[in-house]
Amino acid sequence: DGDFLALDLGGTNFRVLRVKVSDNGLQKVEMENQIYAIPEELMRGSGMQLFDHIAECLANFMEKLKIKDKKLPLGFTFSFPCHQTKLDESILVTWTKGFKCSSVEGKDVVSLLRKSIKKRGDFDIDIVAVVNDTVGTMMTCGYDDHNCEVGLIVGTGTNACYMEEMRHIDLVEGDEGRMCINMEWGAFGDDGVLNDIRTEFDHEIDMGSLNPGKQLFEKMISGMYMGELVRLILVKMAKEGLLFGGKLTPDLLTTGHFETRFVSAIEKEKEGLQKAHEILTKLGLEPSHEDCIATHRICQIVSTRSANLCGATLAAVLRRIKENKGVDRLRSTVGVDGSVYKKHPHFARRLHKTVRKLLPDCEIRFVRSEDGSGKGAAMVTAVAYRLAAQHKARQKILEALKLSHDQLLEVKQRMRIEMEKGLGKETHEEATVKMLPTYVCSTPDGTEKGDFLALDLGGTNFRVLLVRVRNGMRRGVEMHNKIYSIPVEIMQGTGEELFDHIVHCISDFLEYMGMKGVSLPLGFTFSFPCQQTNLDEGILLKWTKGFKATGCEGEDVVNLLKEAIHRREEFDLDVVAVVNDTVGTMMACGYEDPYCEVGLIVGTGSNACYMEEMRNVELVEGEEGRMCVNMEWGAFGDNGCLDDIRTEFDLAVDELSLNPGKQRFEKMISGMYLGEIVRNILMDFTKRGLLFRGRISERLKTRGIFETKFLSQIESDCLALLQVRSILQHLGLESTCDDSIIVKEVCAVVARRAAQLCGAGMAAVVDKIRENRGLDFLKVTVGVDGTLYKLHPHFSTIMHETVKQLSPKCEVTFLQSEDGSGKGAALITAVACRIREAGQR
């Protein structure tokens, strides 16, 4: 929809067009055009003079239509052999058709035209696309027939183009969708593959041409050579006494004197023989009736061969399209232009017949281009302009989700401020980042040993583990575990029922391991918000993740577990430690790497912990040593400090969540919410007509339908866009390849922001550790767990890069936790037992 200019340059005359496309329910195209001549001296002068002349003609045309003050988009049909690297860039390979302008070959013709326009300074245009005349023809016909995917020119020269699958075009990156290929098929046979069907007349034409050995196929079928082929046959037959009584005339012997239009005239049904007589007479001959019949037959043979060869190559193109699509029966349209196709009385019919004979399993329609390739150039421009405008609108919306280096530095600084508030005794109450003491004061040193039980509770399934820790030469960890489920009625029943069920599962595990009577130290990973006053005490602040067991909130979960063990009276366990999953992750990785002093979870939710100096942990007495602090960083921003980077999509996700206004940082970075942010963006794009052709499916309207795992799948480098489309189809969305590319970009932007924000938070943590210790340079390891970190193809890389950029004085290594936080709970227990034994000694 809009107002476009087109420039059609391919010979001694060129056209300037204004094309108005309106789409108010009914597609309508209005065209105004003017033809301008290119003087012969300009065709052989400098390139600058040629493009200055074109710019002057453009200015005159716009002046005449009173549109000189408008900056209209322009499509440029440039019908010479070019190498294109972009839609608006075309490098001239070689001049043809009598042009020999200097300093143009090897240059971008769009840049040359832009320079001439800029030099004038009296108007401006936006050159959006440059196309070949075959492409222009295909687009012109494609406007009226959406099945048109081939363009064919059979005129002075010949060429074809068609829509090829991107996966087959090795010269261009990308493997999805289609791109129009300009075949330049006139050069077919230049490698000798047509030698067996080329005749002595074809050889003679080639040797006398300006480019011997080149464009051999074009020399067998196009209008520039058809008349000359007939002339050479007539000369040979006359020399052998088979025509004109053996008489030859100077005109018949002169190259180019038997024109291709003569072939069309002689082959006309009614007046053909009469035309043959007139033409031969003008060439100085005295033809008999038999001479006229023979000449008619020669013209017929030459033009039929041309149509058959053209049909055979076109059939090859259509067969390829059919195979690309994998259909049993192809329905396709060919847009055609060119004087031979349009003016010869039988060429088109013969061409169609050959194609249908060679492709009996295809329905091929031929549409003549009535408006030339200029309209097509305007159509390409209209499409490109629409796509560019839509792309610009989408980028403007996505811009809010793209964070600059300065913004990320600001996030890092704000996290640091909130951390200080959480650690301070007077500011702790109002702090959003709570910085909870864990009473874990040491990481493994390698001397730990013994058998330990671990309990890992954080969802509808929980694990019981036996962890055997060995030191010395056989240093290592051996683990046995069993997974148990918690039925919904127990999750939402009483606290007694819940902890009785847990103890029943522990009993089953000990029996399974043959250790029923053994009393072992136990570490309890309890991944719910807790207030700790000791390593073996955790007051449940609030249930999350669907748990509602009564009589637990405000109670010490270690006591609840001990009471349930006593009720069972089967075994006794020494509950040494209760820990958060981030702390468990840090300890599990700390056993492998002594530099590991930070734990990070990026999965359904997100949180971090790290070893803080005791002197800074004001909620706990003591100045010496370090303690692990559970940051609970998901609540960062709940006081409004991130409002300037939160978008309308974050607000929408927050408002409809179970806890509006809470856990705002987590809602921007964790797996529970990223899919929902993407869904909201896709909804917004679709409502604005920027995606899925403005059609929203009912499923897309459903909250939570776009799962975060889709982000990982869609961004997977090895996942073709065809599979992205199948994910969208599962959501009830009819998507094109372009839609899939857009969805992939949205997923990438949302995931990138999440990884960068996570990296900014982590940069604040490692810098604080470095400054705490007064170091110029810190070497530290972060233990990481969580599905988003582990499964997303790019999240970890982007997060690592962000930490490196924001904390250049820290060398941060990220170690993935393979055994989860259960192993960490056992190791915390092992460390606690080691320290307890040392104290007793």
Side-chain angles (χ1 to χ4, degrees), residues 500-527:
D500 283 349
H501 176 72
I502 290 168
V503 171
H504 168 73
C505 296
I506 294 171
S507 174
D508 175 79
F509 178 74
L510 289 171
E511 196 164 329
Y512 166 73
M513 294 298 297
M515 302 176 72
K516 197 69 181 279
V518 182
S519 178
L520 294 174
L522 180 139
F524 189 7
T525 301
F526 188 73
S527 304

PDB file of all heavy atoms in Angstrom, residues 500-527:
ATOM      1  N   ASP A 500       5.483 -36.891  57.922  1.00  0.00           N
ATOM      2  CA  ASP A 500       5.365 -38.354  58.097  1.00  0.00           C
ATOM      3  C   ASP A 500       5.633 -39.069  56.774  1.00  0.00           C
ATOM      4  O   ASP A 500       6.289 -40.114  56.743  1.00  0.00           O
ATOM      5  CB  ASP A 500       3.970 -38.728  58.619  1.00  0.00           C
ATOM      6  CG  ASP A 500       3.820 -38.448  60.109  1.00  0.00           C
ATOM      7  OD1 ASP A 500       4.852 -38.166  60.771  1.00  0.00           O
ATOM      8  OD2 ASP A 500       2.673 -38.492  60.610  1.00  0.00           O
ATOM      9  N   HIS A 501       5.130 -38.474  55.673  1.00  0.00           N
ATOM     10  CA  HIS A 501       5.348 -39.067  54.334  1.00  0.00           C
ATOM     11  C   HIS A 501       6.837 -39.035  53.978  1.00  0.00           C
ATOM     12  O   HIS A 501       7.394 -40.017  53.465  1.00  0.00           O
ATOM     13  CB  HIS A 501       4.529 -38.305  53.288  1.00  0.00           C
ATOM     14  CG  HIS A 501       4.769 -38.777  51.878  1.00  0.00           C
ATOM     15  ND1 HIS A 501       4.310 -39.991  51.410  1.00  0.00           N
ATOM     16  CD2 HIS A 501       5.447 -38.199  50.840  1.00  0.00           C
ATOM     17  CE1 HIS A 501       4.682 -40.149  50.152  1.00  0.00           C
ATOM     18  NE2 HIS A 501       5.371 -39.067  49.781  1.00  0.00           N
ATOM     19  N   ILE A 502       7.487 -37.915  54.298  1.00  0.00           N
ATOM     20  CA  ILE A 502       8.921 -37.776  54.011  1.00  0.00           C
ATOM     21  C   ILE A 502       9.723 -38.825  54.787  1.00  0.00           C
ATOM     22  O   ILE A 502      10.600 -39.500  54.236  1.00  0.00           O
ATOM     23  CB  ILE A 502       9.404 -36.346  54.355  1.00  0.00           C
ATOM     24  CG1 ILE A 502       8.817 -35.334  53.349  1.00  0.00           C
ATOM     25  CG2 ILE A 502      10.940 -36.258  54.340  1.00  0.00           C
ATOM     26  CD1 ILE A 502       8.979 -33.878  53.761  1.00  0.00           C
ATOM     27  N   VAL A 503       9.391 -38.989  56.080  1.00  0.00           N
ATOM     28  CA  VAL A 503      10.112 -39.959  56.918  1.00  0.00           C
ATOM     29  C   VAL A 503       9.834 -41.388  56.436  1.00  0.00           C
ATOM     30  O   VAL A 503      10.735 -42.240  56.439  1.00  0.00           O
ATOM     31  CB  VAL A 503       9.741 -39.769  58.409  1.00  0.00           C
ATOM     32  CG1 VAL A 503      10.301 -40.910  59.263  1.00  0.00           C
ATOM     33  CG2 VAL A 503      10.270 -38.423  58.911  1.00  0.00           C
ATOM     34  N   HIS A 504       8.620 -41.647  56.009  1.00  0.00           N
ATOM     35  CA  HIS A 504       8.284 -42.968  55.454  1.00  0.00           C
ATOM     36  C   HIS A 504       9.184 -43.270  54.245  1.00  0.00           C
ATOM     37  O   HIS A 504       9.688 -44.387  54.084  1.00  0.00           O
ATOM     38  CB  HIS A 504       6.803 -42.997  55.040  1.00  0.00           C
ATOM     39  CG  HIS A 504       6.435 -44.198  54.212  1.00  0.00           C
ATOM     40  ND1 HIS A 504       6.319 -45.464  54.756  1.00  0.00           N
ATOM     41  CD2 HIS A 504       6.197 -44.336  52.877  1.00  0.00           C
ATOM     42  CE1 HIS A 504       6.016 -46.336  53.797  1.00  0.00           C
ATOM     43  NE2 HIS A 504       5.928 -45.671  52.640  1.00  0.00           N
ATOM     44  N   CYS A 505       9.419 -42.269  53.403  1.00  0.00           N
ATOM     45  CA  CYS A 505      10.281 -42.436  52.215  1.00  0.00           C
ATOM     46  C   CYS A 505      11.739 -42.649  52.627  1.00  0.00           C
ATOM     47  O   CYS A 505      12.450 -43.448  52.007  1.00  0.00           O
ATOM     48  CB  CYS A 505      10.145 -41.233  51.284  1.00  0.00           C
ATOM     49  SG  CYS A 505       8.479 -41.062  50.588  1.00  0.00           S
ATOM     50  N   ILE A 506      12.186 -41.936  53.693  1.00  0.00           N
ATOM     51  CA  ILE A 506      13.557 -42.130  54.187  1.00  0.00           C
ATOM     52  C   ILE A 506      13.713 -43.575  54.681  1.00  0.00           C
ATOM     53  O   ILE A 506      14.716 -44.247  54.400  1.00  0.00           O
ATOM     54  CB  ILE A 506      13.883 -41.127  55.324  1.00  0.00           C
ATOM     55  CG1 ILE A 506      13.905 -39.688  54.784  1.00  0.00           C
ATOM     56  CG2 ILE A 506      15.241 -41.456  55.968  1.00  0.00           C
ATOM     57  CD1 ILE A 506      14.015 -38.618  55.881  1.00  0.00           C
ATOM     58  N   SER A 507      12.690 -44.051  55.406  1.00  0.00           N
ATOM     59  CA  SER A 507      12.705 -45.425  55.922  1.00  0.00           C
ATOM     60  C   SER A 507      12.800 -46.428  54.775  1.00  0.00           C
ATOM     61  O   SER A 507      13.591 -47.379  54.814  1.00  0.00           O
ATOM     62  CB  SER A 507      11.437 -45.675  56.747  1.00  0.00           C
ATOM     63  OG  SER A 507      11.356 -47.035  57.133  1.00  0.00           O
ATOM     64  N   ASP A 508      12.016 -46.187  53.719  1.00  0.00           N
ATOM     65  CA  ASP A 508      12.037 -47.076  52.548  1.00  0.00           C
ATOM     66  C   ASP A 508      13.426 -47.077  51.907  1.00  0.00           C
ATOM     67  O   ASP A 508      13.932 -48.134  51.504  1.00  0.00           O
ATOM     68  CB  ASP A 508      10.987 -46.598  51.535  1.00  0.00           C
ATOM     69  CG  ASP A 508      11.042 -47.408  50.248  1.00  0.00           C
ATOM     70  OD1 ASP A 508      10.521 -48.533  50.222  1.00  0.00           O
ATOM     71  OD2 ASP A 508      11.648 -46.901  49.259  1.00  0.00           O
ATOM     72  N   PHE A 509      14.056 -45.908  51.846  1.00  0.00           N
ATOM     73  CA  PHE A 509      15.377 -45.787  51.220  1.00  0.00           C
ATOM     74  C   PHE A 509      16.437 -46.541  52.040  1.00  0.00           C
ATOM     75  O   PHE A 509      17.270 -47.259  51.490  1.00  0.00           O
ATOM     76  CB  PHE A 509      15.759 -44.309  51.088  1.00  0.00           C
ATOM     77  CG  PHE A 509      17.124 -44.087  50.489  1.00  0.00           C
ATOM     78  CD1 PHE A 509      17.345 -44.277  49.137  1.00  0.00           C
ATOM     79  CD2 PHE A 509      18.205 -43.708  51.286  1.00  0.00           C
ATOM     80  CE1 PHE A 509      18.612 -44.084  48.577  1.00  0.00           C
ATOM     81  CE2 PHE A 509      19.468 -43.513  50.746  1.00  0.00           C
ATOM     82  CZ  PHE A 509      19.674 -43.705  49.384  1.00  0.00           C
ATOM     83  N   LEU A 510      16.371 -46.382  53.406  1.00  0.00           N
ATOM     84  CA  LEU A 510      17.354 -47.058  54.266  1.00  0.00           C
ATOM     85  C   LEU A 510      17.216 -48.579  54.140  1.00  0.00           C
ATOM     86  O   LEU A 510      18.210 -49.303  54.118  1.00  0.00           O
ATOM     87  CB  LEU A 510      17.174 -46.615  55.715  1.00  0.00           C
ATOM     88  CG  LEU A 510      17.613 -45.164  56.035  1.00  0.00           C
ATOM     89  CD1 LEU A 510      17.174 -44.761  57.441  1.00  0.00           C
ATOM     90  CD2 LEU A 510      19.120 -45.001  55.887  1.00  0.00           C
ATOM     91  N   GLU A 511      15.967 -49.035  54.032  1.00  0.00           N
ATOM     92  CA  GLU A 511      15.720 -50.473  53.855  1.00  0.00           C
ATOM     93  C   GLU A 511      16.275 -50.935  52.505  1.00  0.00           C
ATOM     94  O   GLU A 511      16.924 -51.981  52.398  1.00  0.00           O
ATOM     95  CB  GLU A 511      14.223 -50.760  53.951  1.00  0.00           C
ATOM     96  CG  GLU A 511      13.917 -52.225  54.153  1.00  0.00           C
ATOM     97  CD  GLU A 511      12.487 -52.445  54.644  1.00  0.00           C
ATOM     98  OE1 GLU A 511      11.927 -51.583  55.356  1.00  0.00           O
ATOM     99  OE2 GLU A 511      11.944 -53.476  54.284  1.00  0.00           O
ATOM    100  N   TYR A 512      16.030 -50.099  51.475  1.00  0.00           N
ATOM    101  CA  TYR A 512      16.515 -50.384  50.111  1.00  0.00           C
ATOM    102  C   TYR A 512      18.043 -50.484  50.097  1.00  0.00           C
ATOM    103  O   TYR A 512      18.623 -51.321  49.402  1.00  0.00           O
ATOM    104  CB  TYR A 512      16.019 -49.260  49.197  1.00  0.00           C
ATOM    105  CG  TYR A 512      16.656 -49.174  47.825  1.00  0.00           C
ATOM    106  CD1 TYR A 512      16.355 -50.112  46.831  1.00  0.00           C
ATOM    107  CD2 TYR A 512      17.542 -48.126  47.525  1.00  0.00           C
ATOM    108  CE1 TYR A 512      16.941 -50.014  45.572  1.00  0.00           C
ATOM    109  CE2 TYR A 512      18.129 -48.023  46.262  1.00  0.00           C
ATOM    110  CZ  TYR A 512      17.817 -48.976  45.291  1.00  0.00           C
ATOM    111  OH  TYR A 512      18.395 -48.882  44.042  1.00  0.00           O
ATOM    112  N   MET A 513      18.719 -49.659  50.938  1.00  0.00           N
ATOM    113  CA  MET A 513      20.182 -49.645  50.995  1.00  0.00           C
ATOM    114  C   MET A 513      20.728 -50.640  52.031  1.00  0.00           C
ATOM    115  O   MET A 513      21.948 -50.777  52.171  1.00  0.00           O
ATOM    116  CB  MET A 513      20.698 -48.240  51.348  1.00  0.00           C
ATOM    117  CG  MET A 513      20.421 -47.174  50.290  1.00  0.00           C
ATOM    118  SD  MET A 513      21.218 -47.512  48.695  1.00  0.00           S
ATOM    119  CE  MET A 513      22.943 -47.464  49.148  1.00  0.00           C
ATOM    120  N   GLY A 514      19.823 -51.303  52.769  1.00  0.00           N
ATOM    121  CA  GLY A 514      20.266 -52.250  53.804  1.00  0.00           C
ATOM    122  C   GLY A 514      20.923 -51.564  54.981  1.00  0.00           C
ATOM    123  O   GLY A 514      21.876 -52.085  55.569  1.00  0.00           O
ATOM    124  N   MET A 515      20.440 -50.389  55.357  1.00  0.00           N
ATOM    125  CA  MET A 515      21.057 -49.596  56.429  1.00  0.00           C
ATOM    126  C   MET A 515      20.021 -49.165  57.471  1.00  0.00           C
ATOM    127  O   MET A 515      20.140 -48.101  58.078  1.00  0.00           O
ATOM    128  CB  MET A 515      21.734 -48.354  55.835  1.00  0.00           C
ATOM    129  CG  MET A 515      22.792 -48.680  54.804  1.00  0.00           C
ATOM    130  SD  MET A 515      23.474 -47.199  54.059  1.00  0.00           S
ATOM    131  CE  MET A 515      24.463 -46.552  55.393  1.00  0.00           C
ATOM    132  N   LYS A 516      19.012 -49.989  57.689  1.00  0.00           N
ATOM    133  CA  LYS A 516      17.872 -49.588  58.513  1.00  0.00           C
ATOM    134  C   LYS A 516      18.261 -49.169  59.943  1.00  0.00           C
ATOM    135  O   LYS A 516      17.752 -48.201  60.479  1.00  0.00           O
ATOM    136  CB  LYS A 516      16.862 -50.750  58.534  1.00  0.00           C
ATOM    137  CG  LYS A 516      15.463 -50.357  58.989  1.00  0.00           C
ATOM    138  CD  LYS A 516      14.775 -49.466  57.971  1.00  0.00           C
ATOM    139  CE  LYS A 516      13.393 -49.037  58.401  1.00  0.00           C
ATOM    140  NZ  LYS A 516      12.384 -50.048  58.145  1.00  0.00           N
ATOM    141  N   GLY A 517      19.193 -49.872  60.536  1.00  0.00           N
ATOM    142  CA  GLY A 517      19.506 -49.579  61.940  1.00  0.00           C
ATOM    143  C   GLY A 517      20.589 -48.540  62.146  1.00  0.00           C
ATOM    144  O   GLY A 517      20.932 -48.201  63.279  1.00  0.00           O
ATOM    145  N   VAL A 518      21.143 -48.022  61.085  1.00  0.00           N
ATOM    146  CA  VAL A 518      22.288 -47.106  61.186  1.00  0.00           C
ATOM    147  C   VAL A 518      21.812 -45.680  61.458  1.00  0.00           C
ATOM    148  O   VAL A 518      20.841 -45.221  60.873  1.00  0.00           O
ATOM    149  CB  VAL A 518      23.117 -47.146  59.879  1.00  0.00           C
ATOM    150  CG1 VAL A 518      24.335 -46.243  59.994  1.00  0.00           C
ATOM    151  CG2 VAL A 518      23.536 -48.571  59.576  1.00  0.00           C
ATOM    152  N   SER A 519      22.499 -44.977  62.346  1.00  0.00           N
ATOM    153  CA  SER A 519      22.198 -43.561  62.607  1.00  0.00           C
ATOM    154  C   SER A 519      23.242 -42.708  61.887  1.00  0.00           C
ATOM    155  O   SER A 519      24.443 -42.812  62.172  1.00  0.00           O
ATOM    156  CB  SER A 519      22.238 -43.283  64.113  1.00  0.00           C
ATOM    157  OG  SER A 519      21.998 -41.904  64.333  1.00  0.00           O
ATOM    158  N   LEU A 520      22.783 -41.902  60.924  1.00  0.00           N
ATOM    159  CA  LEU A 520      23.709 -41.116  60.096  1.00  0.00           C
ATOM    160  C   LEU A 520      23.429 -39.624  60.216  1.00  0.00           C
ATOM    161  O   LEU A 520      22.293 -39.203  60.453  1.00  0.00           O
ATOM    162  CB  LEU A 520      23.566 -41.521  58.622  1.00  0.00           C
ATOM    163  CG  LEU A 520      23.996 -42.936  58.240  1.00  0.00           C
ATOM    164  CD1 LEU A 520      23.645 -43.192  56.783  1.00  0.00           C
ATOM    165  CD2 LEU A 520      25.493 -43.126  58.456  1.00  0.00           C
ATOM    166  N   PRO A 521      24.460 -38.800  60.033  1.00  0.00           N
ATOM    167  CA  PRO A 521      24.222 -37.341  59.942  1.00  0.00           C
ATOM    168  C   PRO A 521      23.431 -37.047  58.655  1.00  0.00           C
ATOM    169  O   PRO A 521      23.641 -37.696  57.622  1.00  0.00           O
ATOM    170  CB  PRO A 521      25.628 -36.754  59.849  1.00  0.00           C
ATOM    171  CG  PRO A 521      26.579 -37.872  60.126  1.00  0.00           C
ATOM    172  CD  PRO A 521      25.872 -39.146  59.844  1.00  0.00           C
ATOM    173  N   LEU A 522      22.528 -36.077  58.709  1.00  0.00           N
ATOM    174  CA  LEU A 522      21.679 -35.765  57.549  1.00  0.00           C
ATOM    175  C   LEU A 522      21.737 -34.285  57.209  1.00  0.00           C
ATOM    176  O   LEU A 522      21.697 -33.422  58.114  1.00  0.00           O
ATOM    177  CB  LEU A 522      20.224 -36.171  57.834  1.00  0.00           C
ATOM    178  CG  LEU A 522      19.208 -35.910  56.708  1.00  0.00           C
ATOM    179  CD1 LEU A 522      18.235 -37.089  56.567  1.00  0.00           C
ATOM    180  CD2 LEU A 522      18.396 -34.636  56.954  1.00  0.00           C
ATOM    181  N   GLY A 523      21.825 -34.006  55.906  1.00  0.00           N
ATOM    182  CA  GLY A 523      21.741 -32.629  55.406  1.00  0.00           C
ATOM    183  C   GLY A 523      20.430 -32.456  54.658  1.00  0.00           C
ATOM    184  O   GLY A 523      20.040 -33.310  53.855  1.00  0.00           O
ATOM    185  N   PHE A 524      19.739 -31.354  54.929  1.00  0.00           N
ATOM    186  CA  PHE A 524      18.376 -31.156  54.420  1.00  0.00           C
ATOM    187  C   PHE A 524      18.377 -29.942  53.474  1.00  0.00           C
ATOM    188  O   PHE A 524      18.498 -28.801  53.908  1.00  0.00           O
ATOM    189  CB  PHE A 524      17.463 -30.927  55.629  1.00  0.00           C
ATOM    190  CG  PHE A 524      15.986 -30.905  55.319  1.00  0.00           C
ATOM    191  CD1 PHE A 524      15.474 -31.230  54.059  1.00  0.00           C
ATOM    192  CD2 PHE A 524      15.080 -30.568  56.324  1.00  0.00           C
ATOM    193  CE1 PHE A 524      14.112 -31.209  53.813  1.00  0.00           C
ATOM    194  CE2 PHE A 524      13.716 -30.542  56.083  1.00  0.00           C
ATOM    195  CZ  PHE A 524      13.226 -30.862  54.833  1.00  0.00           C
ATOM    196  N   THR A 525      18.277 -30.214  52.135  1.00  0.00           N
ATOM    197  CA  THR A 525      18.100 -29.110  51.185  1.00  0.00           C
ATOM    198  C   THR A 525      16.613 -28.803  51.122  1.00  0.00           C
ATOM    199  O   THR A 525      15.807 -29.634  50.688  1.00  0.00           O
ATOM    200  CB  THR A 525      18.592 -29.476  49.778  1.00  0.00           C
ATOM    201  OG1 THR A 525      19.964 -29.815  49.840  1.00  0.00           O
ATOM    202  CG2 THR A 525      18.420 -28.309  48.811  1.00  0.00           C
ATOM    203  N   PHE A 526      16.246 -27.596  51.577  1.00  0.00           N
ATOM    204  CA  PHE A 526      14.845 -27.205  51.672  1.00  0.00           C
ATOM    205  C   PHE A 526      14.697 -25.902  50.878  1.00  0.00           C
ATOM    206  O   PHE A 526      15.062 -24.820  51.348  1.00  0.00           O
ATOM    207  CB  PHE A 526      14.477 -27.015  53.150  1.00  0.00           C
ATOM    208  CG  PHE A 526      13.014 -26.789  53.397  1.00  0.00           C
ATOM    209  CD1 PHE A 526      12.099 -27.835  53.286  1.00  0.00           C
ATOM    210  CD2 PHE A 526      12.551 -25.527  53.742  1.00  0.00           C
ATOM    211  CE1 PHE A 526      10.748 -27.623  53.521  1.00  0.00           C
ATOM    212  CE2 PHE A 526      11.197 -25.310  53.975  1.00  0.00           C
ATOM    213  CZ  PHE A 526      10.295 -26.357  53.861  1.00  0.00           C
ATOM    214  N   SER A 527      14.192 -26.019  49.646  1.00  0.00           N
ATOM    215  CA  SER A 527      14.228 -24.873  48.705  1.00  0.00           C
ATOM    216  C   SER A 527      12.974 -24.011  48.777  1.00  0.00           C
ATOM    217  O   SER A 527      12.259 -23.821  47.784  1.00  0.00           O
ATOM    218  CB  SER A 527      14.448 -25.382  47.281  1.00  0.00           C
ATOM    219  OG  SER A 527      15.613 -26.162  47.234  1.00  0.00           O
TER     220      SER A 527
END
